[in-house]
Amino acid sequence: MFNTAIFFRIADDFVLPPLEALEEIFQSHRFVPCGATEPESSGWVPPRGNKSTVLLESVGRSLIARLCTERRPVPSSAVKAAVDERIEKYKEETGRERVGAKIKKEFKQEVMLDLLPRAFTKRSTTTLWIDPVNKFLVVDSGNLTGADKVISYLVEALSELPGALPGLKASPIQTQMSAAAAMSHWLSTREAPYNFTVDRDCELKTPDDQKATVRYSRHTLDIDEVAQHIAAGKVPTQLAMTWNERVSFVLSETAQLKKLKLLDVVLDGVQESGKDDDGFDTDAAIITGELSSLIPDVLDALGGELGDGEAGQPEASATAELTPEPA
């Protein structure tokens, strides 16, 4: 359900609106596939899968939603070739050697309208988890741009609810120590933070234009060579770790958790016969339960959160544009 976790802090006074009212808003923004001449379309889909029509799933006292985006990518090379062909034909018909920017723009628009219906569509989904108890917002996205998009759609939905409600105010979590600095310390001292172990995968890069990179895969990291790379100026950008012998993941330099995997000790207690029909409720309860304990431990390992005055970052609310930045 969650392969990646980018997490944000939400306002202390935020409470989940009535589920029925929020579901109605989400249904009005349900996913509709791209039209023949539309380059992109986004909307909410059932987290449980196509057999369901419900767009918001309640897990304990939290919510899970899923945004679907469909695109019709048209190769830029095909667009350029078609536009150039029209420009050459225009020159021959008019006898002109130069073609104005306005005409070129019109040619490009015509080409896009011609090629879009023939382009294959690509779909992607992004899962969102709202934890109003621990005041976390977690997005299963591989990058901050994708996380920004799904949160913006959520903020839009919340803004349409009738009545004045506390804003979501989702903001990036700022920590005392950057993830890159923390990983450098753990690898140099060969001492992992409490409740964590360092695994056997790591990537180090020089923070210059050359971006010289060293990668270790399935290799012990408790060696002098790794510490020497760090002493020479290379910075860890990815580090495989395990939390409490329950969840393995890769910590990125921007404090994202990637390649999340529940270990056997977590899954052994779940019997197939004890699952619900599609397994969604059980899987959702397990992963959100683990993340609700894992995320605070990650923040502690990074020195804890900065206070409001220390962070110096403006918050975003349902009335403001939201652009997350890495911790």
PDB file of all heavy atoms in Angstrom, residues 18 34 54-55 66 79 123 172 183 210 228 231 241 255 281 292 298 319:
ATOM      1  N   PRO A  18     -16.800  15.692   8.939  1.00  0.00           N
ATOM      2  CA  PRO A  18     -17.691  14.531   8.850  1.00  0.00           C
ATOM      3  C   PRO A  18     -17.414  13.734   7.573  1.00  0.00           C
ATOM      4  O   PRO A  18     -17.308  14.301   6.477  1.00  0.00           O
ATOM      5  CB  PRO A  18     -19.090  15.159   8.829  1.00  0.00           C
ATOM      6  CG  PRO A  18     -18.916  16.466   9.532  1.00  0.00           C
ATOM      7  CD  PRO A  18     -17.544  16.937   9.172  1.00  0.00           C
ATOM      8  N   CYS A  34      -8.864  10.950 -19.518  1.00  0.00           N
ATOM      9  CA  CYS A  34      -8.583  12.045 -20.441  1.00  0.00           C
ATOM     10  C   CYS A  34      -9.534  12.009 -21.642  1.00  0.00           C
ATOM     11  O   CYS A  34      -9.827  10.932 -22.179  1.00  0.00           O
ATOM     12  CB  CYS A  34      -7.158  11.942 -20.976  1.00  0.00           C
ATOM     13  SG  CYS A  34      -5.874  12.371 -19.812  1.00  0.00           S
ATOM     14  N   VAL A  54     -16.403   3.710  -2.972  1.00  0.00           N
ATOM     15  CA  VAL A  54     -16.090   4.624  -1.877  1.00  0.00           C
ATOM     16  C   VAL A  54     -14.720   5.242  -2.098  1.00  0.00           C
ATOM     17  O   VAL A  54     -13.736   4.523  -2.331  1.00  0.00           O
ATOM     18  CB  VAL A  54     -16.136   3.893  -0.520  1.00  0.00           C
ATOM     19  CG1 VAL A  54     -15.768   4.845   0.617  1.00  0.00           C
ATOM     20  CG2 VAL A  54     -17.522   3.304  -0.281  1.00  0.00           C
ATOM     21  N   LEU A  55     -14.624   6.565  -2.004  1.00  0.00           N
ATOM     22  CA  LEU A  55     -13.365   7.265  -2.282  1.00  0.00           C
ATOM     23  C   LEU A  55     -12.562   7.572  -1.028  1.00  0.00           C
ATOM     24  O   LEU A  55     -11.392   7.947  -1.134  1.00  0.00           O
ATOM     25  CB  LEU A  55     -13.647   8.564  -3.039  1.00  0.00           C
ATOM     26  CG  LEU A  55     -14.329   8.398  -4.405  1.00  0.00           C
ATOM     27  CD1 LEU A  55     -14.533   9.758  -5.060  1.00  0.00           C
ATOM     28  CD2 LEU A  55     -13.520   7.481  -5.302  1.00  0.00           C
ATOM     29  N   ARG A  66      -6.913   8.114  -2.496  1.00  0.00           N
ATOM     30  CA  ARG A  66      -5.992   7.818  -3.596  1.00  0.00           C
ATOM     31  C   ARG A  66      -6.323   8.700  -4.796  1.00  0.00           C
ATOM     32  O   ARG A  66      -7.470   8.760  -5.238  1.00  0.00           O
ATOM     33  CB  ARG A  66      -6.061   6.338  -3.970  1.00  0.00           C
ATOM     34  CG  ARG A  66      -5.086   5.912  -5.059  1.00  0.00           C
ATOM     35  CD  ARG A  66      -5.041   4.397  -5.163  1.00  0.00           C
ATOM     36  NE  ARG A  66      -4.461   3.801  -3.954  1.00  0.00           N
ATOM     37  CZ  ARG A  66      -4.588   2.532  -3.615  1.00  0.00           C
ATOM     38  NH1 ARG A  66      -5.261   1.711  -4.388  1.00  0.00           N
ATOM     39  NH2 ARG A  66      -4.028   2.067  -2.500  1.00  0.00           N
ATOM     40  N   VAL A  79       6.376  16.181 -32.151  1.00  0.00           N
ATOM     41  CA  VAL A  79       5.782  17.516 -32.255  1.00  0.00           C
ATOM     42  C   VAL A  79       6.667  18.421 -33.107  1.00  0.00           C
ATOM     43  O   VAL A  79       6.196  19.127 -34.004  1.00  0.00           O
ATOM     44  CB  VAL A  79       5.564  18.117 -30.855  1.00  0.00           C
ATOM     45  CG1 VAL A  79       5.068  19.562 -30.966  1.00  0.00           C
ATOM     46  CG2 VAL A  79       4.572  17.287 -30.056  1.00  0.00           C
ATOM     47  N   ARG A 123      -1.361   5.858 -16.758  1.00  0.00           N
ATOM     48  CA  ARG A 123      -1.993   6.183 -15.481  1.00  0.00           C
ATOM     49  C   ARG A 123      -1.060   5.903 -14.319  1.00  0.00           C
ATOM     50  O   ARG A 123      -0.263   4.959 -14.356  1.00  0.00           O
ATOM     51  CB  ARG A 123      -3.277   5.372 -15.288  1.00  0.00           C
ATOM     52  CG  ARG A 123      -4.428   5.806 -16.165  1.00  0.00           C
ATOM     53  CD  ARG A 123      -5.703   5.068 -15.792  1.00  0.00           C
ATOM     54  NE  ARG A 123      -6.792   5.381 -16.709  1.00  0.00           N
ATOM     55  CZ  ARG A 123      -8.010   4.884 -16.611  1.00  0.00           C
ATOM     56  NH1 ARG A 123      -8.311   4.046 -15.604  1.00  0.00           N
ATOM     57  NH2 ARG A 123      -8.951   5.215 -17.484  1.00  0.00           N
ATOM     58  N   PRO A 172       6.096  20.986   5.542  1.00  0.00           N
ATOM     59  CA  PRO A 172       7.221  20.047   5.641  1.00  0.00           C
ATOM     60  C   PRO A 172       7.772  20.026   7.058  1.00  0.00           C
ATOM     61  O   PRO A 172       7.833  21.063   7.728  1.00  0.00           O
ATOM     62  CB  PRO A 172       8.256  20.615   4.660  1.00  0.00           C
ATOM     63  CG  PRO A 172       7.540  21.628   3.860  1.00  0.00           C
ATOM     64  CD  PRO A 172       6.379  22.106   4.643  1.00  0.00           C
ATOM     65  N   MET A 183      23.133  10.628   8.371  1.00  0.00           N
ATOM     66  CA  MET A 183      23.656   9.405   7.764  1.00  0.00           C
ATOM     67  C   MET A 183      25.181   9.411   7.759  1.00  0.00           C
ATOM     68  O   MET A 183      25.814   8.370   7.977  1.00  0.00           O
ATOM     69  CB  MET A 183      23.097   9.237   6.351  1.00  0.00           C
ATOM     70  CG  MET A 183      21.614   8.906   6.314  1.00  0.00           C
ATOM     71  SD  MET A 183      20.984   8.500   4.652  1.00  0.00           S
ATOM     72  CE  MET A 183      21.017  10.105   3.843  1.00  0.00           C
ATOM     73  N   GLN A 210      30.402  17.681 -10.417  1.00  0.00           N
ATOM     74  CA  GLN A 210      30.816  16.388 -10.956  1.00  0.00           C
ATOM     75  C   GLN A 210      29.894  15.253 -10.508  1.00  0.00           C
ATOM     76  O   GLN A 210      29.707  14.268 -11.206  1.00  0.00           O
ATOM     77  CB  GLN A 210      32.259  16.083 -10.527  1.00  0.00           C
ATOM     78  CG  GLN A 210      33.287  17.073 -11.025  1.00  0.00           C
ATOM     79  CD  GLN A 210      33.358  17.121 -12.529  1.00  0.00           C
ATOM     80  OE1 GLN A 210      33.293  16.090 -13.203  1.00  0.00           O
ATOM     81  NE2 GLN A 210      33.478  18.331 -13.083  1.00  0.00           N
ATOM     82  N   GLN A 228      36.142   6.766   4.918  1.00  0.00           N
ATOM     83  CA  GLN A 228      37.114   7.544   4.156  1.00  0.00           C
ATOM     84  C   GLN A 228      36.434   8.351   3.050  1.00  0.00           C
ATOM     85  O   GLN A 228      36.809   9.499   2.773  1.00  0.00           O
ATOM     86  CB  GLN A 228      38.171   6.612   3.567  1.00  0.00           C
ATOM     87  CG  GLN A 228      39.100   6.021   4.626  1.00  0.00           C
ATOM     88  CD  GLN A 228      39.957   4.884   4.089  1.00  0.00           C
ATOM     89  OE1 GLN A 228      39.861   4.513   2.911  1.00  0.00           O
ATOM     90  NE2 GLN A 228      40.798   4.314   4.948  1.00  0.00           N
ATOM     91  N   ALA A 231      34.918  11.276   4.781  1.00  0.00           N
ATOM     92  CA  ALA A 231      35.958  12.224   5.177  1.00  0.00           C
ATOM     93  C   ALA A 231      36.489  13.001   3.972  1.00  0.00           C
ATOM     94  O   ALA A 231      36.898  14.165   4.095  1.00  0.00           O
ATOM     95  CB  ALA A 231      37.099  11.483   5.868  1.00  0.00           C
ATOM     96  N   MET A 241      18.099   0.867   5.857  1.00  0.00           N
ATOM     97  CA  MET A 241      18.027   0.700   7.295  1.00  0.00           C
ATOM     98  C   MET A 241      16.862  -0.209   7.663  1.00  0.00           C
ATOM     99  O   MET A 241      15.976  -0.479   6.844  1.00  0.00           O
ATOM    100  CB  MET A 241      17.854   2.062   7.989  1.00  0.00           C
ATOM    101  CG  MET A 241      18.907   3.093   7.638  1.00  0.00           C
ATOM    102  SD  MET A 241      18.705   4.649   8.555  1.00  0.00           S
ATOM    103  CE  MET A 241      19.287   4.158  10.186  1.00  0.00           C
ATOM    104  N   ALA A 255      15.066  13.005   3.669  1.00  0.00           N
ATOM    105  CA  ALA A 255      14.295  12.380   4.755  1.00  0.00           C
ATOM    106  C   ALA A 255      13.048  11.664   4.263  1.00  0.00           C
ATOM    107  O   ALA A 255      12.076  11.520   5.003  1.00  0.00           O
ATOM    108  CB  ALA A 255      13.940  13.399   5.834  1.00  0.00           C
ATOM    109  N   ASP A 281      -8.579  -3.752   4.623  1.00  0.00           N
ATOM    110  CA  ASP A 281      -8.676  -3.245   5.995  1.00  0.00           C
ATOM    111  C   ASP A 281      -7.500  -3.711   6.844  1.00  0.00           C
ATOM    112  O   ASP A 281      -6.919  -2.936   7.606  1.00  0.00           O
ATOM    113  CB  ASP A 281      -9.995  -3.682   6.636  1.00  0.00           C
ATOM    114  CG  ASP A 281     -11.195  -3.045   5.958  1.00  0.00           C
ATOM    115  OD1 ASP A 281     -11.085  -1.875   5.554  1.00  0.00           O
ATOM    116  OD2 ASP A 281     -12.222  -3.723   5.815  1.00  0.00           O
ATOM    117  N   SER A 292       2.933   4.915  12.096  1.00  0.00           N
ATOM    118  CA  SER A 292       2.649   5.856  13.181  1.00  0.00           C
ATOM    119  C   SER A 292       3.677   5.772  14.301  1.00  0.00           C
ATOM    120  O   SER A 292       3.840   6.721  15.074  1.00  0.00           O
ATOM    121  CB  SER A 292       1.247   5.598  13.747  1.00  0.00           C
ATOM    122  OG  SER A 292       1.171   4.312  14.341  1.00  0.00           O
ATOM    123  N   VAL A 298      12.039   8.112  13.420  1.00  0.00           N
ATOM    124  CA  VAL A 298      12.910   8.712  12.403  1.00  0.00           C
ATOM    125  C   VAL A 298      13.207  10.164  12.763  1.00  0.00           C
ATOM    126  O   VAL A 298      14.359  10.621  12.688  1.00  0.00           O
ATOM    127  CB  VAL A 298      12.265   8.625  11.000  1.00  0.00           C
ATOM    128  CG1 VAL A 298      13.046   9.471   9.996  1.00  0.00           C
ATOM    129  CG2 VAL A 298      12.203   7.180  10.532  1.00  0.00           C
ATOM    130  N   THR A 319      -6.341  27.965   1.924  1.00  0.00           N
ATOM    131  CA  THR A 319      -6.491  29.197   1.141  1.00  0.00           C
ATOM    132  C   THR A 319      -5.184  29.645   0.541  1.00  0.00           C
ATOM    133  O   THR A 319      -5.103  30.708  -0.043  1.00  0.00           O
ATOM    134  CB  THR A 319      -7.053  30.318   2.042  1.00  0.00           C
ATOM    135  OG1 THR A 319      -6.156  30.534   3.125  1.00  0.00           O
ATOM    136  CG2 THR A 319      -8.416  29.937   2.585  1.00  0.00           C
TER     137      THR A 319
END
